[in-house]
Amino acid sequence: MALPKANALTIRIEGHDLPGLTCGGSPDFPGYAGIQVAVQRRNRPGELLGPQPGDADAVNWTLDATAKPAAEGGVELTGPHIQGGPGNRFIYLSWGTVLPPDRTFILFRRAKLLLAAVPPEVLTAALDTGTLTGRLGLTDAKGHPLCARVVPPAIDWSAGRRHAAPGQGRA
């Protein structure tokens, strides 16, 4: 797919099945309380978009992006919340705990939503509709906050907007 120029694109991330506000410890996980999840800004780990509690029914974020022709062909997505270099773009969902008294967010794990894993036909359709939507569960098989690389089928990418809870984070 080739683009003649840069196009504005909205990326919508919709999360469900959150792990809760607390996660007990295990041999490979220390356990945390006061859990929240947010989207991390590119090159600014402390700047988080729309922190949401880990016990919410659903969470969502709306990100501004630009789709432009990639040097090697195809499409490259960029934007304030899109991490990584050409051919390796992704969105970080950052999990942390909020500590009193100043409500400092302490990061303990991240999920990496790989944009290269968006099926080409979905990306083509999203360029037509102006919106790319990723829907995913946010609890892993151990009942902890989802982390590591996230690709289909763990995330369902589609073109256009899905029906979800009102917007909670906008960039």
Side-chain angles (χ1 to χ4, degrees), residues 98-165:
V98 178
L99 301 177
D102 59 357
R103 312 249 334 126
T104 301
F105 184 91
I106 305 298
L107 175 75
F108 65 83
R109 77 177 5 177
R110 295 187 286 203
K112 193 179 206 181
L113 311 183
L114 298 180
L115 295 172
V118 175
E121 66 278 7
V122 171
L123 185 54
T124 298
L127 293 171
D128 289 338
T129 66
T131 303
L132 175 64
T133 300
R135 183 166 170 71
L136 71 160
L138 294 175
T139 300
D140 71 12
K142 295 180 180 179
H144 298 146
L146 181 70
C147 68
R149 296 167 33 105
V150 180
V151 299
I155 186 167
D156 175 33
W157 291 106
S158 64
R161 183 174 225 150
R162 294 229 182 155
H163 300 287

Side-chain angles (χ1 to χ4, degrees), residues 12 49-52 60-63 166-171:
R12 188 163 165 81
L49 173 66
Q52 299 297 312
N60 62 75
W61 299 273
T62 302
L63 313 174
Q168 297 168 338
R170 172 81 190 170

